[in-house]
Amino acid sequence: MNAHNDILKKSGLSVTESRKKILELFFDSDGALAHADIEKNTDAAFDRVTVYRTLQTFVEKGIIHQIPTTDNSILYALCKHNCQQGHHHDNHVHFICNKCDKTFCLDDVTVPEVKLPQGFSPAQAAMVVTGLCEECKL
Amino acid sequence: MNAHNDILKKSGLSVTESRKKILELFFDSDGALAHADIEKNTDAAFDRVTVYRTLQTFVEKGIIHQIPTTDNSILYALCKHNCQQGHHHDNHVHFICNKCDKTFCLDDVTVPEVKLPQGFSPAQAAMVVTGLCEECKL
DNA sequence: TTAAAACTTGCAACAATAGTGCAAAAATAT
DNA sequence: ATATTTTTGCACTATTGTTGCAAGTTTTAA
């Protein structure tokens, strides 16, 4: 009985091969993952549809969160802080490297509050910074 | 000779029906537009491919910019401030309404600076706030 | 421990979205 | 006005995401 299984159980999910493997992938990766990355890293052991559904489920259960991008893809990353079902707290800044295209969750950098114009009622804020990462800057 | 044509010429682009019309659409719209919105609003007068290419070209030339979303779509909006080719300055916050799904460019709300961890070299920052807009809040 | 119930998966089909090569058409330059 | 350059539209292909349903797996509870 390992920690990953516990996460699944706590979320009320059945413990299956695909879920275990995909969750493991997220823990092994330091950055964020796109659907395509997951298919690649599982050697297509699971159906494309299963991957889609697993990701959806994980988002719903607050295990992972989505990261907005401008390139018509969705990136997913582990929710490291206390996310609950239906209520995410992924209020950290994301960094995407222009050179290696890796995405980093800057867990220690929180998204700053901004004052919105009259009438706008905020629920969630996301921030994505692009540039060069440590590796690529050298 | 109108202002829109000048924008195209200044960017070194031929002045064509599709470009004029699509640029006009952006000026007439207060929010951001997705590819689909543009096709709808032009009554499919232009080929889908033409719309794709026009948007790409406009982004390259710094006429419009892309807005990141978490729903696997790209939104585009006019660069109101001094954007140049290859170097965007769309440093304002975007607001997406959860109810009506409209996107607003909050031109007066600039993206705040954040301190990044050692090693990260920022080039651009984007911020998207979701919630309820003026209309939908009522 | 096993059988029933509940849930998850994979397949097939479908739908929507995006990209490419190339000939025809339009815009620009001479 | 015509040659050159650029842009467009079509046909085709690729990628990405969704749905229904039967078969398979996991969980529950006797």
Side-chain angles (χ1 to χ4, degrees):
Chain A
M1 180 66 55
N2 67 42
H4 298 175
N5 292 13
D6 284 354
I7 292 174
L8 294 173
K9 288 206 175 150
K10 263 182 206 148
S11 303
L13 296 172
S14 304
V15 177
T16 65
E17 279 309 306
S18 47
R19 285 174 182 165
K20 276 193 285 184
K21 180 67 190 170
I22 291 173
L23 193 52
E24 205 181 298
L25 265 183
F26 275 108
F27 273 100
D28 288 351
S29 139
D30 45 339
L33 298 172
H35 175 97
D37 297 322
I38 291 162
E39 283 205 273
K40 221 173 288 164
N41 284 295
T42 51
D43 291 317
F46 311 110
D47 194 86
R48 211 161 43 84
V49 178
T50 301
V51 177
Y52 278 118
R53 289 198 272 227
T54 303
L55 290 172
Q56 273 171 20
T57 307
F58 283 5
V59 170
E60 276 163 26
K61 298 296 181 182
I63 298 171
I64 59 176
H65 63 267
Q66 298 177 311
I67 303 171
T69 66
T70 48
D71 72 339
N72 226 58
S73 73
I74 309 179
L75 289 173
Y76 301 86
L78 278 179
C79 291
K80 301 215 177 130
H81 307 299
N82 48 324
C83 289
Q84 300 133 25
Q85 179 160 352
H87 190 67
H88 284 278
H89 292 281
D90 55 319
N91 58 343
H92 56 270
V93 174
H94 293 100
F95 187 93
I96 302 178
C97 179
N98 285 330
K99 204 166 176 189
C100 66
D101 277 330
K102 260 196 208 159
T103 299
F104 303 85
C105 289
L106 308 179
D107 291 297
D108 300 325
V109 185
T110 47
V111 175
E113 298 261 323
V114 289
K115 208 189 277 174
L116 300 178
Q118 190 71 31
F120 290 98
S121 194
Q124 209 188 96
M127 187 159 174
V128 182
V129 180
T130 57
L132 290 179
C133 75
E134 213 159 3
E135 294 267 301
C136 295
K137 214 179 64 176
L138 308 175
Chain B
M1 181 64 55
N2 67 46
H4 298 175
N5 292 15
D6 284 354
I7 292 174
L8 295 173
K9 288 207 174 151
K10 262 180 206 151
S11 302
L13 297 172
S14 304
V15 178
T16 65
E17 279 309 305
S18 46
R19 287 175 181 164
K20 275 193 285 182
K21 179 69 189 170
I22 291 172
L23 193 52
E24 205 181 298
L25 266 183
F26 276 107
F27 274 100
D28 289 351
S29 140
D30 44 339
L33 298 172
H35 176 97
D37 297 322
I38 291 162
E39 282 206 272
K40 222 173 288 163
N41 284 294
T42 51
D43 293 315
F46 310 110
D47 194 84
R48 211 165 39 82
V49 179
T50 301
V51 176
Y52 280 118
R53 290 199 271 227
T54 303
L55 289 173
Q56 273 171 20
T57 307
F58 282 6
V59 170
E60 276 163 27
K61 297 297 181 181
I63 298 171
I64 59 176
H65 62 267
Q66 298 176 310
I67 303 171
T69 66
T70 47
D71 72 339
N72 226 54
S73 71
I74 310 179
L75 289 173
Y76 301 86
L78 277 180
C79 291
K80 301 216 178 129
H81 307 298
N82 48 324
C83 290
Q84 299 134 24
Q85 179 160 354
H87 191 68
H88 284 279
H89 292 281
D90 54 319
N91 58 343
H92 56 272
V93 174
H94 293 99
F95 188 92
I96 302 177
C97 180
N98 285 329
K99 205 165 175 187
C100 67
D101 277 332
K102 259 194 210 161
T103 299
F104 303 85
C105 288
L106 308 179
D107 291 298
D108 301 325
V109 185
T110 47
V111 175
E113 297 262 323
V114 289
K115 210 189 275 174
L116 300 178
Q118 191 70 31
F120 291 97
S121 191
Q124 208 187 99
M127 187 160 176
V128 182
V129 180
T130 56
L132 291 178
C133 75
E134 212 159 6
E135 294 267 299
C136 295
K137 214 179 62 178
L138 307 177

